[in-house]
Amino acid sequence: MNVLVTGGAGYIGSHLIGVLASAGHNCTVYDNLATGHAEAIGDTKLVTGDISDTAALTAAMRENDIEAVIHLAAFIEAGESVEKPEKYFRNNTLGGLTLLEAMRASGVSKMVFSSTAAVYGRPGQIPIRETDRTEPINPYGSGKLCVEFMLRAFAEAYGMGFVALRYFNVAGAHPDGLIGEAHIPETHLIPLVLEVPLGKRESVKIFGDDYDTPDGTCIRDYIHVMDLSAAHVLAIEAVEAGGVKVFNLGNGEGFSVRQVIETCRAVTGHPIRAEVVDRRPGDPPSLVASSQNARDELGWRCEYPDLNTIVAHAWGWHKTHPNGYC
Ligand code: UFG
């Protein structure tokens, strides 16, 4: 299939395009390079454009005979979305609408959408299932949930087909160590912890140790970026006209912040100093996925479910690229 990957030069996109190509798909990346890196996509075709630009999106789809879209382009910091909601609703939510209209104008009727565990807010039960209550607690999550609603409306009105993938905590890097996570600024736990052995910071902060969890720190479900990418390939092949399928993507196992730091110590052999500070506003105590539906309906299997492997692959990238793509 000819696939347009919006945000394809970002962390997830750069891994995804390799997996799509291995599965025989032909990718075009559409990215404004605000946070993405042209260096991360090798010789994959790049169209530089913004998600708010209907004409550029329409042209990119027409000129490349696009048959399906994987929509990753978005801002990703839940904390920032609380401070600057307009930034998130404009880019992530209105951007989603712009893309849907451009798809209609170009006759493209299939999309896989990058959604998030943030749509659940503070979950009522663990593990979280797709049918559980969605009550986002920040504009990042509510903006993504708005797009899910749009998908339902467009499927019903125009017979378009969608799969929304609700990511849990994406981590790791390509096993070859040549591409990986390079956010500026970095906010994610594993790359921040690894900055200590890299000599880029003295210690890592633990945002609260008084949660109602076994060691008092927050629990998250870490999913390898290669496994997450593989799910998109299955998803694009599972899109059905006139409907929206929703899948959680996680490992189904939770690890606390302290356990993640301990794993990073074991992988790097560095003592990694940690200090407990106040809770970060908006952090739910525990987010762990049930991905049973993705296994049953997409046939998805994780190749790298082990946290040690996820951290080892992240370390393989960061230690050889301490300044990312710079
Ligand atoms: N944490 C620390 N110290 C740090 C950074 C993070 O203790 O320096 C903690 C956080 O409080 C949280 C856990 O580590 O408990 C994971 O934090 P991340 O920032 O790595 O990830 P989040 O769970 O906050 O966010 C992830 C995605 C977001 C998405 C969210 C959905 O990165 O894009 O899941 O719930 F919005």
Side-chain angles (χ1 to χ4, degrees), residues 120-325:
Y120 296 109
R122 290 192 185 82
Q125 59 184 41
I126 298 290
I128 304 167
R129 304 185 66 88
E130 292 85 350
T131 46
D132 288 353
R133 186 189 64 212
T134 46
E135 272 183 28
I137 54 171
N138 53 56
Y140 173 73
S142 46
K144 289 272 185 175
L145 190 57
C146 281
V147 178
E148 288 194 17
F149 283 121
M150 286 182 207
L151 303 184
R152 292 209 173 88
F154 275 67
E156 201 170 312
Y158 307 120
M160 296 169 80
F162 304 99
V163 174
L165 299 175
R166 293 178 178 164
Y167 306 164
F168 282 64
N169 287 62
V170 189
H174 197 288
D176 72 10
L178 297 177
I179 53 171
E181 195 165 3
H183 294 122
I184 304 170
E186 190 51 76
T187 61
H188 292 151
L189 179 63
I190 292 174
L192 284 174
V193 178
L194 295 177
E195 287 187 358
V196 182
L198 283 176
K200 295 177 78 178
R201 66 173 62 234
E202 295 229 315
S203 64
V204 64
K205 293 184 168 69
I206 296 175
F207 294 146
D209 68 349
D210 56 351
Y211 286 94
D212 185 15
T213 60
D215 69 14
T217 66
C218 287
I219 291 177
R220 294 289 182 272
D221 181 337
Y222 295 88
I223 176 77
H224 198 297
V225 65
M226 296 300 287
D227 287 331
L228 186 97
S229 298
H232 290 67
V233 178
L234 298 168
I236 203 132
E237 287 157 4
V239 173
E240 279 176 17
V244 184
K245 298 177 186 174
V246 179
F247 298 104
N248 287 339
L249 295 181
N251 265 317
E253 198 179 349
F255 292 92
S256 72
V257 174
R258 283 197 192 281
Q259 287 175 309
V260 169
I261 296 171
E262 208 43 65
T263 306
C264 292
R265 288 181 180 131
V267 166
T268 62
H270 188 284
I272 305 183
R273 211 161 74 78
E275 53 170 329
V276 178
V277 298
D278 287 347
R279 290 181 178 197
R280 186 172 67 177
D283 270 344
S286 183
L287 288 174
V288 181
S290 164
S291 297
Q292 194 60 43
N293 288 346
R295 282 195 291 279
D296 292 350
E297 291 178 43
L298 298 177
W300 184 51
R301 296 287 177 276
C302 288
E303 197 178 342
Y304 308 108
D306 175 48
L307 185 64
N308 265 290
T309 310
I310 293 174
V311 170
H313 288 170
W315 182 233
W317 153 253
H318 288 291
K319 76 175 176 216
T320 52
H321 301 79
N323 299 312
Y325 294 99

